[in-house]
Every structure is written in structure tokens, then in C-alpha cells.
Amino acid sequence: MFERLHHVQLLCPPGGEDDARAFYAGVLGMAELVKPPVLAARGGCWFRGGGWEVHVSPVPGFAPERKAHPGVLVNGLDLLAARLEAAGHPVEWDPHFPGHRRLYAHDAHGNRLEFLEPLRTEKVRD
């Protein structure tokens, strides 16, 4: 019945769209999408890249999500970690997810993001 995840909505403070663009388009290299006019009037911005979509929406009284997060599969976790660190977004490595390497980082507004890369196991042939 379910096909796939369409998008994840993350929040930001009012006026935080430029910081979201700097992070999602600038650091992560995602493409910004054009929002439909009726939704664009509400503010916020949408991004897509690598099989996932993020909708960033401004809300009064914003507080970043420190625990709740999307978990994104990636290819090239070390390169992503270096890119995040170079852009001033520290990463926290966590070895406790079977079959994967993973790290946590926070977006420009402090929302938690999890990035995972499956472990590659090579079989030895006789």
C-alpha cells in the first residue's frame, strides 16, 4: 500500500529561509523547488536531491528538533562528513546501527539530521 516517503517537513524561525537555502542547497547540494503559489504565500522553501525531499516551514516560537530527525541513506558518507565540517556543521559519528555507518549533523536552524551508509561486505572467492 505504501510506495515511498514523499517528503520530510522541518521547521525554521520566521525569516529563516535564506539560512535553509544556504544549508540544503549550498552545503548539501539539493535543488530548490518552486512552491505552488498558494503555498509560497505561507513562506518556507522546498528542496529535492538524491531521492529525498525536504520542506522547510517557518513557525513562530520555533525550537529546533534535537531528537526527532529524518534518516537519509547516502553513498559517500566520509565526503558528506567533510563537506558538513568544512561548512561549519560538526558531525557526530555513531557506530550503533547494525549494517551501517552513520553520523548526525544539524541544519542551519539546529534540526537534527541522520545520514547512513550501508556497510560494504566483500565476499572472498575460492
Side-chain angles (χ1 to χ4, degrees), residues 18-103:
D18 287 342
D19 287 337
R21 288 181 180 99
F23 182 78
Y24 290 99
V27 176
L28 298 185
M30 299 175 79
E32 185 170 357
L33 304 175
V34 176
K35 291 180 65 173
V38 68
L39 298 177
R42 300 178 187 171
C45 39
W46 294 356
F47 305 92
R48 182 183 299 146
W52 70 304
E53 192 169 305
V54 178
H55 296 182
V56 180
S57 299
V59 294
F62 166 78
E65 287 296 334
R66 295 292 186 180
K67 184 73 173 166
H69 60 272
V72 182
L73 287 172
V74 302
N75 183 2
L77 190 62
D78 293 311
L79 293 172
L80 176 60
R83 188 174 186 147
L84 287 163
E85 293 272 356
H89 299 276
V91 301
E92 175 189 344
W93 290 94
D94 183 349
H96 304 292
F97 196 89
H100 295 78
R101 296 174 63 230
R102 77 172 171 176
L103 64 81

Side-chain angles (χ1 to χ4, degrees), residues 2-3 20 37 42 89 112 124:
F2 296 110
E3 290 185 31
R42 300 178 187 171
H89 299 276
R112 187 179 198 202
V124 178

